[in-house]
Amino acid sequence: MDANDLIEAKVYVGTYKKYNQGSLFGKWLELSNYTDKAEFYQDCLELHEDEQDPELMFQDHEGIPQGLINESWISETIFELIHKANDINDLDAFLSFLDLTGCNLEDEEISYLVQKFRDSYYGRFINEEAFASLLVEDGYLGDIPENIKHYIDYANIASDLFMTDYHYDNETNAVFSRNY
């Protein structure tokens, strides 16, 4: 999932009453069209104004991270996250970072979490050795003459780096500093 998936997040909104009567009447609503949950709910209620007190049912959704929606509830956080999506260049890595750090989108301010992620995230790498190789190329070990670079044991360097200073997420191939 990337920022575009989040920006294009949408929900199919019906009601329990219609569903129980055999009707799937509803509509896909794009969440980026709303500034917050209250505005979104207002549109949902207007869509189903034919019912006296409609009990909204979110029958399907796309582009919404796990835990921010269920059949009868949507988090305010999703709207904040959509508005911050352009600051998060890799949403899957961001979500992995949240898992790694134990941070919760519902408990923390989104701006704070995005900044923490950006400070810690190094990018995606094929494996830990590829990251170690990049650090060596960038001067992590100081200036190393070209003629001896092929003698460097990147596997051992990676082992040391990821034991103490960095975390490699096997699912996303993302590398994070442990200074979170």
Side-chain angles (χ1 to χ4, degrees):
M1 180 179 287
D2 63 16
N4 287 332
D5 293 330
L6 186 59
I7 291 169
E8 296 171 2
K10 57 187 177 180
V11 176
Y12 189 84
V13 181
T15 67
Y16 283 97
K17 179 179 179 180
K18 287 181 178 83
Y19 181 80
N20 289 332
Q21 292 174 343
S23 171
L24 295 178
F25 174 79
K27 183 177 177 182
W28 282 101
L29 298 178
E30 292 187 26
L31 298 183
S32 62
N33 293 335
Y34 304 97
T35 56
D36 59 19
K37 183 177 175 177
E39 186 179 352
F40 170 73
Y41 267 67
Q42 183 60 40
D43 229 13
C44 293
L45 294 174
E46 286 175 17
L47 174 65
H48 295 288
E49 64 187 359
D50 59 325
E51 292 184 32
Q52 184 173 355
D53 189 17
E55 188 178 359
L56 300 175
M57 181 181 191
F58 305 127
Q59 296 168 317
D60 200 0
H61 59 86
E62 295 178 6
I64 301 176
Q66 185 178 2
L68 297 182
I69 189 170
N70 67 31
E71 190 177 272
S72 61
W73 169 86
I74 190 167
S75 171
E76 175 71 38
T77 302
I78 187 62
F79 299 95
E80 296 172 44
L81 196 55
I82 288 170
H83 296 294
K84 289 287 186 188
N86 289 326
D87 295 338
I88 306 169
N89 57 347
D90 188 334
L91 188 60
D92 282 335
F94 177 70
L95 297 174
S96 291
F97 174 76
L98 295 178
D99 286 343
L100 171 68
T101 59
C103 293
N104 185 321
L105 285 167
E106 294 295 315
D107 297 336
E108 302 278 349
E109 185 177 318
I110 298 293
S111 296
Y112 170 75
L113 293 175
V114 169
Q115 189 57 51
K116 247 178 112 164
F117 166 73
R118 293 175 90 194
D119 291 345
S120 180
Y121 181 59
Y122 279 85
R124 291 184 187 232
F125 295 86
I126 295 170
N127 55 34
E128 294 173 351
E129 287 180 41
F131 178 71
S133 173
L134 175 72
L135 286 185
V136 170
E137 289 295 319
D138 286 349
Y140 179 76
L141 297 177
D143 290 329
I144 299 173
E146 286 296 321
N147 62 335
I148 64 168
K149 282 189 178 178
H150 64 276
Y151 292 107
I152 297 174
D153 184 350
Y154 292 107
N156 277 335
I157 293 172
S159 176
D160 288 348
L161 289 171
F162 287 93
M163 191 178 306
T164 57
D165 298 329
Y166 299 93
H167 175 81
Y168 184 79
D169 182 67
N170 290 316
E171 192 171 311
T172 62
N173 296 356
V175 172
F176 304 102
S177 164
R178 290 192 187 265
N179 296 329
Y180 39 78

